[in-house]
Amino acid sequence: MSDRISVLLVDDDPDLRAVTASFLEREDDRIAVETAPDADAGLDALAERDVECVVSDYEMPGLDGLDFLDAVRERRPDLPFILFTGRGSEEVASEAISAGVTDYLQKRGGTERYERLANRIVEAVEKCRAERDAEQAVEQFRAVAEGASDAIVSIDTEGVIRFANPAVESVFGYEPAELEGEPLTTLMPERYHEEHHEAVERYLDTGERGIDWSNVRFEALHRDGSEIPVSVSYGEFTVDGERQFVGVVRDDADRDRHRAFIEHTSDVVAVLSSDWRFRYLSPSCERVTGYAPSELLGERSLDYIHPEDREAVEAAFGELDGDGDPPTAEYRFRTADGEYRWLESVGSERIDTDGIEGYVVTTRDVSARKERERTLSRLREWTRELNYTRTTEEAAELAVEAIDDLIDAGLSGIHLRTEDGDRLEPAALGQSVPALFETQPSYDCDAPPGTRAALAWNAFRGEESVVIDELSTYERLDESSPAESLVLRPIGDHGLFVVSSPEPREFTDTDVLVAEILSGHLEAALDRIERESRVERLHGATRTLVRAESRAEIAERAVEAATDVLGFSIVTVRVHDEAAGGLVPSAVSPEAEALLPERETFTPDGESLNWAVFETGEPRMYDDILTTDALDAGTALRSLLIVPIGEYGTIAIGETEPGVFDGVDEYLAGILATAAETAFQAEARTRRLAERTAELERQNDRLEEFAGVVSHDLRNPLEVARGRTELAREECDSEHLAAVEHAHERMTALIDDLLTLARDGAPVTDAEPVDLGQVVGSCWRTVDTRDATLRAEAEKMIVADESRLRQLLENLMRNAVEHGGDGVTVTVGSLPDGFYVADDGPGIEPDRREEVFDAGYSTSQSGTGFGLRIVEQVSDAHGWSVRVVESEAGGARFEITGVESA
């Protein structure tokens, strides 16, 4: 095999692609790099050329690095694939490892990263080549064991070859047709010819065998003239009365190579008997298990397997019939030092050769892989717990505990930036820190070069991890430190994750990757906690908005919430004023007053950004207003965020630095705008309610005035008319006087009902427990019931204004008597949440039942038309509901519901 290593480098950055290729070829002259600008071009290159390793970026147009990995795995599952990615892709590392990436490196540091990448490429390719050679050798070994590669020839008594199977070509170099008809001595060196002829003649004459026919070994002659070691098993048979001999020829050169492969492979090749005992073990057994092969021969293999894993191993290897996929099992094996190590075994077929009988099992050490899987599994558990932390302190403590559990880094800590931004203070420290550091480590931003503080701040201000294998020899540090291995990882804008150990070269690339993934989740948790804290404080501030009594006060409180709670500095709240023709500045933060010119009214034709937001109802965020036509583009203002307050106005938030705002700021500003809109709506409702209350008071005054007129100015003339009628009746006897008296009575009833409607519409405020049954009986005695009958079935206590309840019942009873006809029966009964008044009269037609509650509606000549209207008014005043349905007897039934029981 050529020593050349062909590498495909896929990266969308042409400059970085060229630099990486040059460094790789310079680092190792065996590496030959071909490049591709994206995943699609990379797949085309793989289809056209023989590539032994792929190095790919993650963030690329089209397919990203993980999608590219999936596409490569579909075509070439075993091709080494290294993800070589930059900042921002730590969150995909777990997914990349799960997807089967061969290795994962970040583009951090100086040129040493290319040396590391070159070493990883060579290691991956050499490992792949070794595995491929091993697989080929194992396939050859299996073929020999199964007899598929054995050459079979038959000869007659004259020593002429009569038949040769296809395998003779692999052994001797001849095609079968070339050998058939030729003497067997064609396959023998000349020195064996005479001995061979003598042996055949002797056997034909005497039947005596001079050698063991089951395993004859000698040097055979290849077609190319070379001699090859073979072993032959002979047999004799008769065809059509003719004696023939068959020889099964095995190329011992292959067997010797296979034996050498087994003796030197890193995997353990073992033969197990049917009772699970070791019959053979390759020398690598001692490296993997600590036992010499001789120590385990004859031992029962299951006795060395962890008790919890034995059942699964027995189930997997219970039968080896050669059909289907080979059985595989992962289990813990007790090593010579008494510890358990994870192994993976793959079963093969049954063998019976060279005195060894049993089943072939190939075993490899998978402890490192199981440890990585355990670490990733635990990492997922820790990151899930981070998602549920509620405070900054809780998140920091959890992250330190996690890093100690995952990579045994007890000398670690989380250092968060103080509120003034000048220091990195410890928020959580590993358990070993107090013992090795005299004081808790904290770092000033203005510390001199060469100090631990300067190193920490340089890492915090950077974008990548800082990895130092030997801190004592690190040229940028003059100050001594108990730590020797160090990983510094910025946690966004929050602070620094310090992972350290007193031992040099303690952390592997996997450890660094774990720290980076954990710090990414910690950053997300701290972002969430800060966001939730701001939202909680914002909700508290917004409650003050709805208590504001004017639009100006709402605007002022909105500015206070934006500056004091959300931390914005330049804030202006504008309120839409139709009279002013636009958005009028209603409240401005102190810093906005100091930095910006006097705020003007923005009108529809002013082309202002505020008006555009107000008109569309959509927020807008600008990283730098110098690139826009903003009216404030000539001021110190750079970043700008504008959110609409519904139909009431806008909130404009600005900063003097560009690119300050993000989606979280927009989200929080939206919450504030929604709260302000709610406050404006409440203020508008309060104002309308005040106006309505004033109007109702004026109407009540007019009603009171009307009631006074009715009570005084109408009753007095009516009483005069009634008196004159009595005097006239004494002087003469006229039928017209009876009609006049009836008219006077009707006018009196109308006046009483009108006064009731005018004065008794207010809600009930002094309700108290009332015995409904007693009130019903009392009302029946006060109503002219004529020949009607009462059935009082309502025996319950209710909460009501007794006098107004009497009005309701008397009007319903009077209505039933007047419209029910002679001998009508009136029933008052209970409902689950009220009561009803029913009669057995003619009833009310369904299409006229809603009209009966209208003022002035009556079907009786003596009715005023206000009785049922008063019933509805009394029900409304109590908060009850009233409706009319058909009674069981076919009459009218008035149901009053929503009544509170006492």
Side-chain angles (χ1 to χ4, degrees), residues 427-438:
L429 295 173
Q431 56 185 1
S432 302
V433 173
L436 295 180
F437 284 85
E438 295 180 0

Side-chain angles (χ1 to χ4, degrees), residues 561-572:
T563 55
D564 297 344
V565 177
L566 301 183
F568 301 131
S569 56
I570 304 173
V571 184
T572 301

Side-chain angles (χ1 to χ4, degrees), residues 193-262:
H193 288 189
E194 184 177 351
E195 182 182 354
H196 165 69
H197 288 306
E198 291 176 354
V200 171
E201 289 176 2
R202 184 172 57 251
Y203 175 74
L204 291 174
D205 290 342
T206 65
E208 294 181 2
R209 301 179 181 181
I211 57 175
D212 181 8
W213 281 21
S214 65
N215 189 15
V216 180
R217 296 188 179 186
F218 63 94
E219 302 297 320
L221 186 65
H222 195 272
R223 181 177 184 175
D224 62 8
S226 62
E227 294 186 4
I228 56 175
V230 297
S231 59
V232 185
S233 298
Y234 289 107
E236 182 181 354
F237 65 98
T238 301
V239 178
D240 296 332
E242 181 183 359
R243 296 174 71 182
Q244 289 191 15
F245 304 92
V246 63
V248 179
V249 185
R250 178 173 299 166
D251 185 348
D252 281 354
D254 281 345
R255 184 181 66 180
D256 292 343
R257 288 194 298 271
H258 293 153
R259 185 182 299 277
F261 163 73
I262 292 175

Side-chain angles (χ1 to χ4, degrees), residues 99-117:
V101 71
T102 306
D103 217 327
Y104 174 90
L105 291 176
Q106 283 201 333
K107 301 174 183 175
R108 64 167 186 265
T111 58
E112 65 271 16
R113 57 183 170 176
Y114 299 110
E115 179 183 359
R116 180 178 294 181
L117 178 59

Side-chain angles (χ1 to χ4, degrees), residues 715 718 722 743-753:
R715 282 187 184 277
L718 181 59
R722 294 179 68 177
H744 289 162
E745 292 175 354
R746 180 169 172 75
M747 290 174 66
T748 300
L750 280 170
I751 290 172
D752 290 342
D753 286 349

Side-chain angles (χ1 to χ4, degrees), residues 89 157 168 288 308 342 480 519 554 562 582 587 591 597 643 763 824 826 852 862 871 887:
S89 60
T157 56
V168 297
V288 174
E308 295 178 2
W342 277 98
S480 63
S519 65
I554 294 172
E591 191 162 345
V643 290
V824 65
V826 179
V852 298
S862 61
V871 169
S887 69

